[in-house]
Amino acid sequence: MKSLIILLIFSLLAPFAIAKKKDPPAPILLEPSEILYIQLIDSVYDGSDEDDRYYYFEETLDKVMEEFDFPMPYKVVRFGDRPPDNKMRLTIFLQMWGQNGIGEVEAKFSAQLRASRYHKNKLGYYRFTDINFAPTTSMARRTYNDVLKKALSEMARDLDERINYEFRGSEDSEAGDDEKASSPGSEGGKN
């Protein structure tokens, strides 16, 4: 009788053991005509004064997007503000931006693209460190921003691969670059 009960239990649990792996979500392509909402989720809330690092983050992100000539309009949103639902959203989870305990300044964060509530893609994990030799506050801020800028530049390259080149505009068609239209995301970034 015990063996019959054991066989019955295993036969009931077998479908769960042989469950199919979930297919990865379809990649999200960015449309240059849409607004990309960039939401920063920071582990440290500094308040809202002029030394709030959110503003330094936003300023550094603007510089990186300008350098990469990012073709989409975007809006940076602080955590707590809600971007509109069903709009393209890039969420940046800032895990560290500061001293790492061994004399370096470190910036590390992960990023996720979201087209809707249920359609999300992990963009990647980004990290950059540099030696901190900053005797003054202004030099320390510059070092922090430079480290963040290098990490954000890696993210911008990955974002550039997600641009839907079929709808990029007349600049690509004038250049006669039909390869981009036939294979979206084939370019590794604009340097």
Side-chain angles (χ1 to χ4, degrees):
M1 184 71 181
K2 285 184 179 180
S3 60
L4 184 62
I5 292 174
I6 291 173
L7 283 174
L8 181 63
I9 290 173
F10 280 122
S11 65
L12 290 174
L13 295 177
F16 296 110
I18 310 173
K20 291 183 181 179
K21 280 193 170 184
K22 202 174 182 183
D23 290 333
I28 296 173
L29 293 179
L30 300 172
E31 300 294 335
S33 61
E34 293 184 28
I35 296 176
L36 177 66
Y37 290 89
I38 301 174
Q39 185 174 35
L40 174 65
I41 299 178
D42 192 354
S43 61
V44 176
Y45 178 71
D46 291 337
S48 59
D49 60 354
E50 63 187 37
D51 288 330
D52 186 357
R53 64 193 214 164
Y54 168 81
Y55 299 112
Y56 294 113
F57 183 91
E58 184 177 23
E59 180 182 310
T60 305
L61 179 66
D62 287 340
K63 288 178 185 176
V64 168
M65 295 302 215
E66 187 177 311
E67 280 181 15
F68 275 83
D69 194 24
F70 192 67
M72 288 181 71
Y74 64 93
K75 182 177 180 183
V76 182
V77 180
R78 183 189 285 269
F79 180 64
D81 296 338
R82 295 199 75 173
D85 287 335
N86 295 327
K87 295 289 183 183
M88 284 292 179
R89 182 186 308 177
L90 172 68
T91 306
I92 298 174
F93 302 94
L94 189 61
Q95 286 127 6
M96 177 153 192
W97 183 26
Q99 299 278 343
N100 65 4
I102 58 173
E104 298 175 327
V105 174
E106 180 177 14
K108 65 180 174 181
F109 59 89
S110 60
Q112 178 187 65
L113 271 175
R114 179 177 164 175
S116 67
R117 176 177 278 180
Y118 302 107
H119 190 190
K120 302 174 187 177
N121 287 160
K122 291 179 182 176
L123 192 60
Y125 180 79
Y126 306 94
R127 179 177 178 267
F128 192 82
T129 59
D130 199 1
I131 296 173
N132 182 27
F133 177 70
T136 65
T137 304
S138 63
M139 288 177 73
R141 283 186 182 155
R142 192 173 352 181
T143 303
Y144 278 47
N145 289 345
D146 288 345
V147 167
L148 181 64
K149 183 178 178 181
K150 289 176 180 164
L152 284 172
S153 294
E154 291 178 33
M155 184 197 70
R157 283 185 198 94
D158 290 345
L159 266 180
D160 189 57
E161 292 176 2
R162 300 286 185 123
I163 300 292
N164 191 349
Y165 287 107
E166 290 180 16
F167 299 103
R168 191 119 192 223
S170 61
E171 62 194 43
D172 289 338
S173 61
E174 289 175 8
D177 206 355
D178 294 331
E179 294 172 8
K180 290 181 188 172
S182 63
S183 61
S186 61
E187 186 181 22
K190 296 193 284 183
N191 291 340

